Amino acid sequence: VQGDLRNYGARAAGASLALSLRDPAGGVVAEATLPGDRIEGEASRTFDLRATVAAPRLWSAEVPTLYTLLLE
């Protein structure tokens, strides 16, 4: 997952990010975290989080396996 964290405030602030991928039953199949960091006021930081799913259940029209990605 790639994206940007933006601090819309005027002062520097701490930021962190956690990724959690859940299978259809709600079980966590992959996780990743971005360590805490400071972002200057009115600035942004590009992030790149990677996680590996050990045994993914593939999606098909007959069996649509849907995963949920949570970013916190």
Side-chain angles (χ1 to χ4, degrees), residues 20-30 53 55-57 65-69:
S20 176
L21 185 66
R22 298 179 181 266
D23 65 18
V28 175
V29 295
V53 178
R57 296 189 328 201
T65 303
L66 300 177
Y67 290 84
T68 301
L69 177 64

Side-chain angles (χ1 to χ4, degrees), residues 30-57:
E31 292 181 301
T33 58
L34 180 70
D37 196 7
R38 288 184 63 82
I39 300 176
E40 294 302 318
E42 299 184 17
S44 63
R45 177 173 182 238
T46 299
F47 67 87
D48 184 11
L49 286 174
R50 296 177 186 266
T52 301
V53 178
R57 296 189 328 201

